[in-house]
Amino acid sequence: KTQVEQSPQSLVVRQGENCVLQCNYSVTPDNHLRWFKQDTGKGLVSLTVLVHENDKTSNGRYSATLDKDAKHSTLHITATLLDDTATYICVVGDRGSALGRLHFGAGTQLIVIP
Amino acid sequence: DMKVTQMPRYLIKRMGENVLLECGQDMSHETMYWYRQDPGLGLQLIYISYDVDSNSEGDIPKGYRVSRKKREHFSLILDSAKTNQTSVYFCASIRGAQDTQYFGPGTRLLVL
């Protein structure tokens, strides 16, 4: 059973609009949660990591929240650009060490149109 | 500039042929990974390597084996490839603990 669910599966927005991507998970323990961006045909690139209960992070136009009680995270992208077109992947780590496993969501495919 | 490289980027093989996928990293990371990515699914872990000759099965190791003879190189081997091993394969490495994994660009394998 998938332990990391992302929604929506795909999303189309106009350049300049804001969007919100959702991640719900059942991984236990949930040591940390990371959002990756994957451009078409490329590898994954980390955007931000959330560690603590009710953590909030900001990285330029990307901001993210984590609610460990609800096992839920959101990724906000403000003032989208055409280059934001990509798949955004939510990953939950069950330990804070290399012995831990990463649990990957299937991703949200974001398309930004002019 | 921290980098994970993968070779080849694209590969077509016939069922039953052997496949060798290569991964390199220039960051002296101890821990490296092989994943496969299929449409509609999250990345699935095939193997982890904690250092030279210290490898551990991931969630879907069947049909695969790995080799790590140098810290900077990690190979994935498919002995007698099967059509259901058609996928995109990603290599990654990590410095430690909660640090991010650095991913290679992927190898797109088609087994006919």
Side-chain angles (χ1 to χ4, degrees):
Chain A
K1 186 180 182 295
T2 303
Q3 295 192 64
V4 181
E5 300 275 2
Q6 292 187 242
S7 62
Q9 196 170 27
S10 61
L11 180 62
V12 180
V13 299
R14 288 201 180 277
Q15 185 178 359
E17 292 181 341
N18 302 334
C19 64
V20 182
L21 283 56
Q22 312 280 353
C23 178
N24 289 286
Y25 62 92
S26 58
V27 178
T28 300
D30 50 347
N31 179 271
H32 62 278
L33 186 148
R34 190 179 295 273
W35 284 93
F36 284 91
K37 179 185 180 187
Q38 184 180 26
D39 291 315
T40 301
K42 300 281 181 67
L44 283 66
V45 176
S46 176
L47 293 174
T48 189
V49 62
L50 303 117
V51 178
H52 306 294
E53 174 65 40
N54 295 322
D55 225 359
K56 293 180 182 178
T57 63
S58 183
N59 177 12
R61 294 180 298 103
Y62 300 103
S63 61
T65 65
L66 174 62
D67 181 343
K68 281 196 172 184
D69 277 344
K71 291 188 180 290
H72 176 74
S73 176
T74 60
L75 177 68
H76 298 248
I77 308 175
T78 58
T80 52
L81 303 171
L82 297 178
D83 283 348
D84 291 332
T85 294
T87 298
Y88 292 82
I89 297 175
C90 172
V91 182
V92 180
D94 59 15
R95 289 193 222 179
S97 75
L99 295 175
R101 289 294 178 90
L102 297 182
H103 303 265
F104 290 78
T108 291
Q109 186 178 18
L110 173 65
I111 299 172
V112 181
I113 59 174
Chain B
D1 194 23
M2 295 182 273
K3 205 171 180 181
V4 177
T5 58
Q6 290 186 238
M7 290 289 288
R9 293 293 317 279
Y10 303 91
L11 188 60
I12 301 175
K13 287 286 192 177
R14 295 196 180 279
M15 191 170 59
E17 291 184 331
N18 298 332
V19 177
L20 173 64
L21 305 184
E22 308 260 31
C23 174
Q25 49 101 357
D26 60 1
M27 299 168 277
S28 296
H29 289 171
E30 293 178 354
T31 306
M32 297 184 73
Y33 307 80
W34 275 106
Y35 295 93
R36 63 178 282 175
Q37 185 179 38
D38 299 294
L41 298 177
L43 270 71
Q44 299 177 83
L45 179 64
I46 306 171
Y47 266 94
I48 306 172
S49 175
Y50 296 108
D51 210 334
V52 171
D53 285 331
S54 179
N55 307 317
S56 181
E57 292 182 347
D59 299 320
I60 52 163
K62 188 177 178 183
Y64 304 95
R65 62 184 174 93
V66 292
S67 175
R68 184 126 179 246
K69 297 301 181 186
K70 292 183 179 180
R71 180 172 283 186
E72 58 269 22
H73 289 126
F74 189 31
S75 301
L76 180 69
I77 302 126
L78 288 66
D79 295 313
S80 188
K82 300 172 181 53
T83 55
N84 62 8
Q85 291 178 308
T86 290
S87 186
V88 182
Y89 291 86
F90 285 97
C91 174
S93 71
I94 192 169
R95 184 166 54 193
Q98 290 161 355
D99 197 10
T100 185
Q101 289 193 347
Y102 293 86
F103 283 83
T107 294
R108 194 172 293 270
L109 172 66
L110 174 61
V111 182
L112 299 174

